[in-house]
Amino acid sequence: MAGIIDEINELKKEKDAVILAHYYVNDDVQAIADYVGDSYYLAKVATTLKESTIVFAGVKFMGESAKILNPNKTVLMPDANADCPMAHMAQVERIEEIRAEYEDVAVVCYINSTAELKMHSDVCVTSSNAMKIVKALPNKNIFFIPDENLGRYIASKVPEKNFIFNDGYCHVHKAVKAEGIKAAKAAVGDAEVLIHPECTLDALELADYIGSTSGIIDYATNSDKKKFIISTELGVLYQLKKNNPDKEFYSAGSVQICPNMKKVTLEKIRDCLRDGTGVVEVSEEKRTRSLTPLQRMLELAE
Ligand code: 13P
Ligand code: SF4
């Protein structure tokens, strides 16, 4: 293991590169990353880096967002096939229909989306800032794409707006079932349920805390409780256990593994750095048009 880590560190120096990793990637990748975080943190931190190359240990929409925000940097994806299926689960034609139907509408696009969808949207959000941003928008009507579950959760917290939903979902979070959480609670005893808002509303109803991956990690770290049922992708366990060696973490029973996030390996990070492969390209038209909603997110989330 030391061999490949040394190789990566050498290549980072040689190529003036920095490694960003999402909490869902493999433990060994999180361990060597320069910055580890949730989608919002990683998008924001990508705009502050001095290095000329960003290696994005995550899925395609993350690398693409980093490139859109930092056109002069080289962004490398260790596995170009690591893509989020939900990112494709909305249609531009539907956005146009909604715009024609509603006069006062904002198209709010979860960052887990293609650049194509972003460029037809008014503002991007992540799970950690969606509520704040939706509340701040002047529009009465909100077309929330692509994630229906996150949209419904935000709608339940912002009743003054009229939401139109889209039928996209994250297969990892949709697989977390209310029955699984109840069974885990019964088996574990006095545990708090921490859940990501990409889960369905019936599962969210069982939560002690609902939030992004960073929110879940911070909540468990600051809590006096000792046992937690984790209802999100289990990559978060790496940071949870590191921060809280005396606490116990349990899954909610389903297979809480994102196969795309797990495609990123140390070997692929080494290879993309060494060979300059996995370069993220976004056409200039797409980049400039999708930059506006991403920048608006960064401004409104502050
Ligand atoms: P956050 O990083 O915002 O918690 O989102 C989770 C996710 O599904 C990323 O793909
Ligand atoms: Fe997409 Fe879900 Fe995987 Fe996140 S966990 S990348 S939303 S499939």
Side-chain angles (χ1 to χ4, degrees):
M1 188 72 100
I4 191 158
I5 294 172
D6 291 345
E7 268 185 89
I8 290 171
N9 286 334
E10 274 307 306
L11 284 162
K12 266 171 52 185
K13 271 189 240 153
E14 194 185 306
K15 311 276 176 165
D16 188 32
V18 59
I19 301 175
L20 271 54
H22 190 269
Y23 285 128
Y24 292 164
V25 298
N26 293 305
D27 294 3
D28 54 0
V29 173
Q30 291 190 50
I32 59 115
D34 297 290
Y35 299 90
V36 186
D38 71 358
S39 306
Y40 173 51
Y41 170 80
L42 293 172
K44 198 168 60 159
V45 90
T47 64
T48 66
L49 303 170
K50 62 178 188 336
E51 290 82 356
S52 57
T53 294
I54 298 172
V55 177
F56 217 118
V59 289
K60 198 169 176 179
F61 74 81
M62 297 179 171
E64 218 168 46
S65 298
K67 180 67 186 176
I68 293 163
L69 288 162
N70 304 282
N72 298 326
K73 292 198 191 285
T74 301
V75 179
L76 303 177
M77 294 299 295
D79 187 321
N81 295 318
D83 197 3
C84 169
M86 181 167 66
H88 303 266
M89 291 185 189
Q91 286 77 40
V92 171
E93 297 71 33
R94 182 74 185 131
I95 297 176
E96 283 164 0
E97 275 171 28
I98 295 287
R99 287 201 191 278
E101 195 177 329
Y102 294 85
E103 243 177 48
D104 179 25
V105 65
V107 178
V108 176
C109 186
Y110 193 24
I111 199 166
N112 301 35
S113 54
T114 59
E116 178 77 15
L117 288 172
K118 288 184 179 78
M119 77 187 229
H120 289 90
S121 302
D122 296 302
V123 64
C124 290
V125 296
T126 75
S127 57
S128 64
N129 59 35
M131 195 148 26
K132 184 176 181 183
I133 291 176
V134 167
K135 277 186 180 165
L137 292 173
N139 315 77
K140 172 77 181 160
N141 300 303
I142 304 293
F143 182 35
F144 197 98
I145 59 167
D147 188 11
E148 178 175 356
N149 291 326
L150 179 62
R152 288 195 182 275
Y153 170 62
I154 301 299
S156 74
K157 299 286 173 193
V158 192
E160 65 273 23
K161 305 267 181 189
N162 175 47
F163 276 71
I164 306 129
F165 302 108
N166 173 74
D167 60 2
Y169 60 89
C170 162
H171 67 98
V172 181
H173 289 90
K174 197 177 173 184
V176 174
K177 300 287 178 218
E179 300 73 52
I181 297 174
K182 284 183 198 156
K185 256 189 110 128
V188 173
D190 184 25
E192 286 197 302
V193 176
L194 315 186
I195 189 161
H196 196 282
E198 285 175 18
C199 294
T200 53
L201 276 184
D202 59 335
L204 296 186
E205 277 166 13
L206 301 170
D208 294 289
Y209 173 79
I210 302 170
S212 76
T213 47
S214 295
I216 287 173
I217 292 165
D218 290 348
Y219 183 92
T221 304
N222 295 324
S223 170
D224 295 333
K225 287 273 163 73
K226 291 281 173 230
K227 294 180 182 180
F228 302 90
I229 293 160
I230 302 300
S231 303
T232 188
E233 214 276 358
L234 294 180
V236 295
L237 291 179
Y238 175 73
Q239 202 66 39
L240 281 167
K241 288 179 182 166
K242 201 168 137 187
N243 292 358
N244 305 284
D246 58 327
K247 295 182 183 174
E248 294 170 28
F249 300 98
Y250 300 87
S251 86
S254 55
V255 180
Q256 295 163 226
I257 300 292
C258 174
N260 282 290
M261 289 282 188
K262 302 309 190 218
K263 285 178 182 166
V264 184
T265 62
L266 291 179
E267 287 74 15
K268 290 178 193 172
I269 291 176
R270 188 242 352 249
D271 294 352
C272 79
L273 270 169
R274 185 190 58 206
D275 305 333
T277 49
V279 178
V280 177
E281 313 265 14
V282 183
S283 74
E284 195 49 22
E285 199 218 340
K286 210 182 253 187
R287 194 194 74 74
T288 48
R289 288 181 60 192
S290 51
L291 177 64
T292 309
L294 275 170
Q295 273 179 333
R296 202 169 172 208
M297 173 187 83
L298 295 179
E299 283 158 24
L300 290 172
E302 268 309 299

